[in-house]
Every structure is written in C-alpha cells, then in structure tokens.
Amino acid sequence: MLQQTRVAAVLPYYRRFLRRFPNLKRLAAASEDEVLQAWSGLGYYQRARNMHRAARRIVESGGRFPNEYSAIRALPGIGDYTAAAIASIAFGQPYAVVDGNVIRVLSRILAERGNVRSAPARTRLRKAAEHLLDRDRPGDFNQALMELGATVCLPRTPQCAGCPVAKWCRARRLGIERQLPVRRRPPRIEKATRTLLVVQRNGALLLKRRPVGGQLEGFFELPEPADLPGARLGPKLGEFRHAITRRRYRIRLRAAELDLLPSEFLWLSPDQLNAVPMTTATRKALNQLAGTWKR
Ligand code: SF4
C-alpha cells in the first residue's frame, strides 16, 4: 500500500483492509471485485490485484507465506526491493535492501561520483550494501539505513552534524555531500521514419554521393524524396530499422522513377556498388533488396 503513497494516507485503508481480510485465507477467498472495492480510493490498483493473486497462490500451495528469497521474489507484484525487505525484516535473512534513500546514503558515505542511474554505479552501491549488511540483524540494518536516508541524510539538506555515521562518511570529509548522488537522465531516444528511394535503370541503381566537407564525405547512399522532387513514387519494397547514436529510424524503401537526373547522382552497376564506400543504412537497404533488385 505504501508504494507511491504516504503513510498518513494509507493508515485508514490499511486498518479497514485488515479488518475485512485479516489473513491470507480470507484474502484469497475474496473475489477480485471485493478486493478492489476495499482498495478503492488508494489508486494504483495493480498493487491490489497482485496482492490478491499472491494470496491465492500462497493458499493454493499450502497456505504458508514463503520464507525463501527466491520464492518471495516469484510472487506477483514483488520485485527485488520488496523481496529483500520481506526476507530480511520478516525472516532475518541476509539480503540488502536498496531503495532511493539507501542509494543516497551510500553514495555519500562512499563518495560515489558515478551516475546512480547507470548500471555500473548501481552495481557498486548494491555490492557495498551487501558488503556492509549486518548478517546477524539484516532487517534492523536495512531499516536503519532507510530511516537514516528518510530523516537525516536528506536530499538537499543532509543533517551531517547529528548524523550517527558522519565519521565514516567520505562525502562529508570531502565537503561534497550536497553534490551527491549524481543523477543524470539517460539521453533521450528520438524516433523517426525515413524513406529511401530505389531508382533503377538498365540494371544500375541511382545513388547520391555525400558532399565534400560534410559527414561521411564521399560515401554513397540511396536518395530520399527531398533529393529528387520530380520522382514518381512506386510500391514499397521493404522496411528495416536503423540506429544512429540516439536516433532510432524506421526506414522504408520505395521504388521510384524519374525523367531528369540531378548532377550529383550516379548510376552504379552491381559490381561498382561493391567497390564504393557506402553508408550503413544504404548497405542494409541493398541487403534487404537482394533478390528483388533486378540486376
Ligand atoms: S554525514 Fe551527512 S552526508 Fe554523510 S551520511 Fe551522514 S548526513 Fe549523509
């Protein structure tokens, strides 16, 4: 219930829910409509559906809540974080909980300067959390770390003067605690559709040569409609995907005919095509056209 929702908002729902479904058996025996009705007002209804499905699965397999991490993790709606929290807090098993608060605290204690949204930095922090975990009291340790993040090591105003782990904190020693953690968004992926024209004459294919001074200078490529304003477009010949750094293209191949040939274009025979430098998109296009292209 507390996912994405404040404690104060949850409390009355929590009490009412437990009065209505005081154990797994009662929850499993309820219809989905009853469960959703009891949840009504809390939002994010998938949580209720998952909990209901989990209760049914547990009851079907004997009625005992699993106490092994992998079995807990396999229940509907339970990911790494929740499974580690249940395994450590309810069953005393040595699993480190890594949530946003823990990431902030650990990145400061260790002066982790990598982007905590990236896999390498997250892996380092997860390993650190596992290494630091108190094997005798994993539940208390996890809750203490989460609580430290929620009440002392605050995002904008870390309360270092009253912090119980200040003497081990590298960021504090370096005076960079407010600069951590580093959170950079991954670059935005742009999507676009492009059309490449396949113009053939006497077994040769029309290609454009990239101009001097630009990117991929001298490389050959299939023209686009804007390159040949007088072209008459024919049927679609194929389609493929092509990625260039942050751009993801869907490239369509269309047959085309034209009467007048602009000067920067050349007719290339199949042999010549094999001998010239070509952009990757055009190379992919020719591979796709193999068989349909009249050589
Ligand atoms: S000393 Fe400051 S920055 Fe370091 S863990 Fe404590 S509150 Fe966070």
Side-chain angles (χ1 to χ4, degrees), residues 194-199 206 223-237 252-259:
R194 282 173 66 196
T195 300
L196 296 179
L197 301 181
V198 180
V199 188
L206 186 71
E224 297 189 53
D227 298 321
L228 301 172
R232 294 181 298 281
L233 299 192
K236 186 176 159 187
L237 299 176
R252 296 200 174 119
L253 300 172
R254 295 275 304 264
E257 290 180 3
L258 78 165
D259 302 323

Side-chain angles (χ1 to χ4, degrees), residues 105 108-109 148 152-153 158-160 163 165-166 169 171-172 177:
V105 173
R108 287 172 173 169
I109 291 177
L148 191 68
V152 180
C153 194
Q159 308 292 305
C160 301
C163 175
V165 298
C169 181
R172 159 106 162 127
E177 65 273 14

Side-chain angles (χ1 to χ4, degrees), residues 208-219:
K208 181 177 93 168
R209 193 162 198 185
R210 288 212 171 189
V212 177
Q215 239 188 355
L216 295 175
E217 169 186 333
F219 273 60

